Amino acid sequence: MNPSILLDHEPGPGRGRHTVLALVNVEGDTPSDSNRVPLNLSLVLDRSGSMSGPKLDCARQAATHVMERLHPNDIASV
C-alpha cells in the first residue's frame, strides 16, 4: 500500500483562522477475487446549504462512481 497526502490552506472565517484542505491518495495492488475481503462501506453525503449546487453534484457523482465499483458481496449504505 502506498498512501500519500497533499495539504493546502486558505484564510478562513474569523481573524487568524484557516481552512485546511487535504487530498488523500491510497494506491495498492488489486487482490485476486479469492483473496478479496468483502467491504462494509458507509457513504455520508452532506445535503446542507453550503453543499448545494456544484458541490453536491460532485459528491453525488463520486458516490455513484464508488457504488459502481463495488463487488456483489460488498455491503454499502448511503
Side-chain angles (χ1 to χ4, degrees), residues 1-3 26-31:
M1 187 180 308
N2 184 19
V26 179
E27 295 179 10
D29 298 326
T30 303

Side-chain angles (χ1 to χ4, degrees), residues 44-53 55-56 59-60 78:
V44 178
L45 298 179
D46 180 357
R47 296 175 40 205
S48 66
S50 64
M51 284 295 291
S52 64
K55 293 179 190 177
L56 185 56
R60 285 180 181 150
V78 180

Side-chain angles (χ1 to χ4, degrees), residues 3-7 21-25:
S4 65
I5 186 167
L6 180 63
L7 297 173
L21 308 171
L23 173 63
V24 178
N25 186 41

